[in-house]
Amino acid sequence: MAKDASGHPEVDKDWDVPYQPADFLDLDRASIPLTGKTPAPALVEFVHQLITAEGPIHEEVLLLHAREVLHLKSFTSPRKKLVLAAVEQLVEGGRVAVEGDFFDLPGRPCRYARRPFPGLTKRTVERVAPAERRTALAGLIHDEPGRPYGEVVADAVRFFGWTPGTPGAKSALASDLYRLRDQGRIAGWPDSLVVQASS
């Protein structure tokens, strides 16, 4: 792993970015049919573009954003099934990877942690991919090395727009920190955390 000027392992300086839904201003919504028994090629490509722009994206967020982009008041069960069938086609074709309830491009590392954009609804803990939470934790540790475990967790809670009372936030982030430690990506456990250079 490369090191920065201060001798710390290099982390992408732009790991902290605002979460913004994908921009589909030029999309011809009429060209994306949501009828039939199997998804039309245009729907499959639209879903792929959405995952490319927003992955790792939770299944429910994908459905929500697809509905918003297509200007639909509601998503009936048949329409949801078509969108998920499009995802399935992409997975079978090797164009999309699945990890739990999240979709992303195969082999794409999670380089960014996305903080809530002002005015938009914050994602719940369950809708932020573990890889993205770990990117935030590693970024926070890199930016301010030598802090204790509890401080880093509290910072990550604030980063994602949650509060100390947000259900599952602290436990999920604590689990992510343990994972980073067990993978050898952080050292100084638990009182003086630093990003660990790989050998």
Side-chain angles (χ1 to χ4, degrees):
M1 181 182 286
K3 295 190 177 185
D4 63 19
S6 63
H8 293 106
E10 205 167 87
V11 172
D12 192 325
K13 301 286 186 273
D14 298 324
W15 66 266
D16 167 1
V17 297
Y19 186 99
Q20 296 186 63
D23 178 1
F24 285 93
L25 295 177
D26 298 331
L27 181 70
D28 176 12
R29 289 161 183 82
S31 72
I32 301 179
L34 282 165
T35 56
K37 292 185 177 180
T38 59
L43 176 60
V44 174
E45 286 311 307
F46 163 69
V47 170
H48 187 258
Q49 287 175 18
L50 191 53
I51 293 169
T52 300
E54 293 194 43
I57 184 170
H58 190 277
E59 179 180 306
E60 291 299 322
V61 178
L62 173 74
L63 291 168
L64 172 69
H65 289 184
R67 181 176 64 78
E68 289 171 346
V69 170
L70 297 174
H71 293 178
L72 300 170
K73 288 184 180 177
S74 63
F75 234 172
T76 60
S77 181
R79 285 174 168 171
K80 280 185 183 178
K81 284 180 181 172
L82 278 173
V83 171
L84 294 176
V87 173
E88 198 171 309
Q89 263 190 41
L90 290 164
V91 171
E92 287 171 359
R95 298 176 66 199
V96 163
V98 183
E99 187 173 334
D101 294 327
F102 295 89
F103 308 125
D104 203 353
L105 300 184
R108 176 164 68 174
C110 184
R111 297 184 197 273
Y112 305 104
R114 299 167 288 184
R115 57 186 148 75
F117 197 77
L120 293 181
T121 305
K122 297 171 182 68
R123 292 174 294 163
T124 61
V125 177
E126 299 78 21
R127 292 184 177 181
V128 177
E132 186 175 349
R133 297 193 309 255
R134 291 193 286 271
T135 296
L137 289 161
L140 289 164
I141 293 166
H142 176 269
D143 289 354
E144 290 187 61
R147 294 182 306 141
Y149 157 99
E151 229 176 81
V152 175
V153 168
D155 276 0
V157 166
R158 285 190 294 274
F159 175 86
F160 286 111
W162 305 324
T163 67
T166 299
K170 285 184 178 177
S171 61
L173 290 163
S175 173
D176 293 326
L177 264 183
Y178 277 105
R179 180 82 179 267
L180 289 172
R181 182 198 66 181
D182 294 346
Q183 291 174 337
R185 291 173 60 190
I186 59 171
W189 190 269
D191 298 322
S192 185
L193 302 181
V194 292
V195 176
Q196 181 72 26
S198 58
S199 49

